[in-house]
Amino acid sequence: MERLEVTETFAGIALPGHLHTAESLQFATKFPFRDTDVVIVTYPKSGTTWMQEILTLLYSGGDAQPAKTIPNWERAPWLEQIHFRSSLRDTATHRLITSHLPARVLGPWLQGSKAKVIYVARNPKDVVVSYYHFHRLAKFLPDPVSFDAFLQQFLEGKVHYGSWFEHVKGWLGQRQLLDIIYITYEELHKDLRGTAQRLSAFLGITLEPQTLLALEQHCSFAAMRDNAMANYTLIPPEIMDHSQGRFMRKGVVGDWRSHFSPPQNALFDRVYHEEMHDTELSAHWAMV
Ligand code: PPS
């Protein structure tokens, strides 16, 4: 199913029709979670693939084989996408599931289970840069036209998958309602080892030193950039135009500084302050 030009609208959010249908989205909101499920939730470009790889290594006890032989979208499939049911590893003790859906859609349903939720967030200035570049290669997303035009749409919450601000605040609001942990892309960068330990404690996994070592090696940016099962080079060029750039693009913190003009930065800061001034995650990233 191509549907590259199709946009699905669900709960007021635009989503790529190439990956979603009204039926796949309805299914997502009624999916029978198990208490043993582990759900990665992110706004796009916030560290989803990184977390999928980390969990793969944690649950394999450091054996890189699954991460090297199974595409990430089969190891931790997207709940809302059309391929979910055929990809889900139903017999796994802990099913890994990924979602970009906002809390107002998925939260109430998840509250009925004891599934563990891992929410990964990233500095929105770096998110918008990464997302802009991704729009240039992903043929199932609209042409971003220019960075300036895309930035405006992002701040207005009019890009695919909706508003970053609504996403982050909505999921932060689930703190008391779900078994949820909050991780930032910046923490993964600063201290992958420490963050993996924090994750293991949350998941109830005993972390052996050799698992940690293997995880650090396999989940580095360089290793993942060269892993065809994580870097999306398996996706054919008519769906991801690899001549326009790489999915594993730079993998750094603060790349926004080489993209934002002073007026764009001032506008972003104003909206960010209005929306986020009292949220605790902001302490993890540098806005100046
Ligand atoms: S998606 O499309 O929503 O699944 O994208 P997502 O995986 O959330 O985000 C892609 C960005 O994460 C970077 N990335 C990493 N950075 C550092 N280390 C590792 N191991 C890593 N793996 C993925 C990836 O390069 C994208 O960020 P940018 O800034 O574009 O490089």
Side-chain angles (χ1 to χ4, degrees):
M1 184 167 72
E2 294 286 296
R3 301 197 341 136
L4 290 172
E5 307 296 329
V6 179
T7 296
E8 277 298 331
T9 304
F10 182 71
I13 301 166
L15 297 148
H18 172 61
L19 297 166
H20 308 84
T21 59
E23 199 271 329
S24 76
L25 289 155
Q26 282 299 340
F27 178 81
T29 60
K30 295 282 175 287
F31 176 66
F33 286 104
R34 296 181 190 153
D35 292 352
T36 47
D37 287 341
V38 177
V39 190
I40 305 167
V41 182
T42 58
Y43 187 84
K45 303 295 145 193
S46 301
T48 325
T49 315
W50 203 355
M51 187 53 71
Q52 289 171 330
E53 208 77 353
I54 291 168
L55 292 185
T56 303
L57 269 282
L58 282 180
Y59 279 111
S60 71
D63 178 3
Q65 209 48 23
K68 282 185 176 163
T69 53
I70 307 166
N72 62 330
W73 59 83
E74 285 184 13
R75 284 183 260 133
W78 269 264
L79 173 66
E80 57 273 19
Q81 294 186 0
I82 50 175
H83 307 292
F84 179 68
R85 273 165 280 185
S86 57
S87 303
L88 186 66
R89 323 212 119 221
D90 217 26
T91 53
T93 316
H94 293 284
R95 300 184 301 182
L96 302 184
I97 297 167
T98 307
S99 180
H100 285 322
L101 289 175
R104 69 182 157 85
V105 173
L106 193 56
W109 186 251
L110 260 174
Q111 286 160 23
S113 83
K114 293 192 178 70
K116 288 192 182 287
V117 181
I118 300 166
Y119 188 76
V120 189
R122 183 183 190 184
N123 184 337
K125 289 185 177 177
D126 283 336
V127 169
V128 72
V129 168
S130 179
Y131 209 8
Y132 165 72
H133 286 287
F134 188 56
H135 274 65
R136 297 179 57 225
L137 75 139
K139 297 293 138 203
F140 50 85
L141 289 170
D143 176 0
V145 184
S146 66
F147 180 65
D148 196 56
F150 188 74
L151 183 70
Q152 288 286 345
Q153 287 177 356
F154 181 87
L155 289 173
E156 289 167 16
K158 292 191 177 147
V159 290
H160 277 49
Y161 297 96
S163 159
W164 179 89
F165 301 101
E166 189 210 339
H167 205 278
V168 172
K169 287 192 288 186
W171 282 103
L172 284 174
Q174 298 288 311
R175 190 182 286 282
Q176 311 296 338
L177 305 168
L178 298 174
D179 192 5
I180 187 166
I181 188 173
Y182 299 93
I183 305 270
T184 60
Y185 179 92
E186 289 72 16
E187 282 172 279
L188 291 171
H189 241 278
K190 201 170 153 195
D191 184 11
L192 181 59
R193 174 173 275 259
T195 314
Q197 284 165 332
R198 193 156 76 85
L199 261 174
S200 308
F202 171 71
L203 297 170
I205 295 173
T206 310
L207 190 53
E208 303 296 342
Q210 63 272 23
T211 302
L212 201 48
L213 210 60
L215 185 150
E216 282 185 297
Q217 281 167 3
H218 188 81
C219 299
S220 71
F221 180 77
M224 285 181 60
R225 185 193 52 207
D226 296 338
N227 178 9
M229 299 296 148
N231 65 16
Y232 285 93
T233 50
L234 294 177
I235 303 293
E238 59 277 16
I239 294 171
M240 272 195 202
D241 182 354
H242 303 289
S243 71
Q244 291 297 314
R246 291 174 162 193
F247 177 90
M248 300 292 294
R249 193 182 59 92
K250 280 194 181 173
V252 298
V253 168
D255 193 37
W256 64 268
R257 291 192 178 85
S258 59
H259 285 75
F260 279 46
S261 68
Q264 287 167 344
N265 197 32
L267 171 67
F268 202 110
D269 284 344
R270 186 159 48 75
V271 177
Y272 184 84
H273 183 73
E274 280 164 19
E275 297 267 3
M276 302 295 287
H277 56 94
D278 54 356
T279 48
E280 74 259 41
L281 272 181
S282 301
H284 288 279
W285 47 64
M287 295 300 286
V288 288

